[in-house]
C-alpha cells in the first residue's frame, strides 16, 4: 500500500471577496494598517498571556525576552485558535503583506527561527504566493503556522473568522489585538480565551 505525504496549502483568494463579508470582514485588507481606527467602531480587546497591561517596573516584563517562556505560552494561543477555528466551521481568511518568497535573506532568517514543520509549510506556500495577499485557510496546521508566525514576529497581517465574526491581528510581545462586531461575541470569545489559559484585557 502506498501512502502520500502532502503538505497543506493555503488557497489564494481574490481580495474582492471581502466585499461579501460582514462589517468587520470587509475591512480585512486594511486591518493591520488601521487597527487604531477600527477600535473606535468595533468591540475590541488584547489577547494576552497576562490579565492586565504590565507596568514599566513589573518584573514579569523580563519574561517577554525569555524564549522558553514565549514558546511555552504558544500552546495557550494554539488551543484558543483551534477552538475558534472549529466553531467557525474550519474556515478563516488571512490577509498579509509580509509573506515574500523573493527576498532570500528574509526567507533564510525566518526559516532559521521556525520549527521544522513550520519550515516545511512555509516553503510550500511559495508555490501559490505570486503576489497574492489574501488566503483562505481550511487546514488547522496552516492556521497554527500563522499563529506561531504572529507570536514569533515572523509573519504579520490579520486573520478573520466569518461565521461568528472575529479578527485576530499580528502584534508584539504575545499581545494580539482582537475585534468583534458585537459585545456578545466579545464576551463569548473572552470565555474561550480563559478556558485556554489566556485573557482578553
Amino acid at each position: 500500500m502506498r501512502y502520500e505525504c502532502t503538505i497543506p496549502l493555503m488557497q489564494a483568494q481574490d481580495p474582492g471577496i471581502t466585499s461579501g463579508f460582514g462589517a468587520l470582514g470587509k475591512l480585512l485588507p486594511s486591518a493591520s494598517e488601521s487597527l487604531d481606527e477600527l477600535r473606535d467602531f468595533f468591540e475590541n480587546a488584547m489577547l494576552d498571556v497576562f490579565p492586565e497591561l504590565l507596568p514599566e517596573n513589573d518584573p514579569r516584563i523580563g519574561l517577554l525576552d525569555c524564549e522558553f517562556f514565549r514558546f511555552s505560552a504558544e500552546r495557550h494561543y494554539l488551543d484558543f485558535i483551534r477552538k475558534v477555528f472549529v466553531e467557525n466551521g474550519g474556515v478563516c481568511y488571512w490577509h498579509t503583506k509580509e509573506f515574500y518568497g523573493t527576498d532570500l535573506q528574509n526567507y533564510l532568517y525566518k526559516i532559521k527561527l521556525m520549527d521544522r514543520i513550520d519550515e516545511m509549510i512555509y516553503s510550500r506556500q511559495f508555490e501559490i504566493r505570486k503576489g497574492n495577499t489574501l488566503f483562505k485557510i481550511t487546514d488547522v496546521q496552516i492556521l497554527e503556522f500563522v499563529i506561531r508566525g504572529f507570536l514569533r514576529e515572523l509573519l504579520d497581517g490579520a486573520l478573520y473568522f466569518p461565521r461568528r465574526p472575529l479578527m485576530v491581528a499580528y502584534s508584539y510581545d504575545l499581545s494580539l489585538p482582537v475585534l468583534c462586531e458585537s459585545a456578545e461575541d466579545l464576551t463569548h470569545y473572552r470565555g474561550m480565551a480563559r478556558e485556554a489559559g489566556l485573557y482578553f484585557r
Side-chain angles (χ1 to χ4, degrees):
M1 183 178 286
R2 184 167 178 256
Y3 294 93
E4 290 194 18
C5 175
T6 304
I7 298 170
L9 272 173
M10 299 180 294
Q11 303 162 32
Q13 304 289 298
D14 178 349
I17 69 166
T18 59
S19 63
F21 292 169
L24 182 59
K26 282 184 172 73
L27 302 170
L28 179 59
S30 60
S32 49
E33 291 85 26
S34 57
L35 273 175
D36 289 338
E37 292 86 353
L38 291 179
R39 289 187 181 111
D40 293 335
F41 299 99
F42 296 99
E43 301 294 324
N44 64 86
M46 295 296 284
L47 178 64
D48 203 336
V49 71
F50 298 115
E52 72 283 319
L53 184 64
L54 300 179
E56 288 183 20
N57 60 350
D58 194 307
R60 291 176 294 176
I61 287 178
L63 290 172
L64 298 174
D65 293 325
C66 173
E67 284 194 352
F68 177 80
F69 174 78
R70 291 175 64 89
F71 291 169
S72 64
E74 287 180 2
R75 64 188 170 89
H76 300 293
Y77 292 85
L78 295 174
D79 184 33
F80 170 73
I81 213 70
R82 279 191 293 264
K83 290 176 180 173
V84 171
F85 191 58
V86 168
E87 181 158 316
N88 281 272
V91 173
C92 75
Y93 294 86
W94 176 35
H95 189 274
T96 177
K97 290 188 176 177
E98 297 295 333
F99 191 64
Y100 301 115
T102 54
D103 181 348
L104 183 60
Q105 186 175 3
N106 185 44
Y107 170 78
L108 292 174
Y109 167 74
K110 290 183 178 185
I111 286 292
K112 180 180 167 187
L113 297 178
M114 286 181 171
D115 297 335
R116 178 67 178 142
I117 191 167
D118 287 340
E119 176 186 341
M120 295 166 73
I121 291 171
Y122 185 75
S123 299
R124 179 94 165 96
Q125 306 317 306
F126 290 134
E127 296 177 19
I128 59 162
R129 183 63 180 92
K130 297 176 184 173
N132 293 305
T133 57
L134 181 67
F135 301 93
K136 182 178 183 180
I137 297 174
T138 57
D139 187 286
V140 73
Q141 286 186 308
I142 294 284
L143 179 62
E144 290 175 357
F145 156 75
V146 174
I147 287 296
R148 279 191 293 267
F150 281 11
L151 296 173
R152 297 184 187 190
E153 300 170 12
L154 302 174
L155 302 171
D156 83 346
L159 289 164
Y160 174 68
F161 297 86
R163 181 179 287 180
R164 188 162 195 165
L166 172 73
M167 189 176 289
V168 180
Y170 162 82
S171 189
Y172 299 94
D173 292 335
L174 301 179
S175 297
L176 303 181
V178 293
L179 298 132
C180 292
E181 291 181 5
S182 71
E184 179 186 0
D185 284 347
L186 190 69
T187 299
H188 174 74
Y189 284 124
R190 177 179 278 114
M192 290 176 67
R194 284 297 299 122
E195 289 173 6
L198 297 172
Y199 302 91
F200 274 17
R201 61 165 178 81

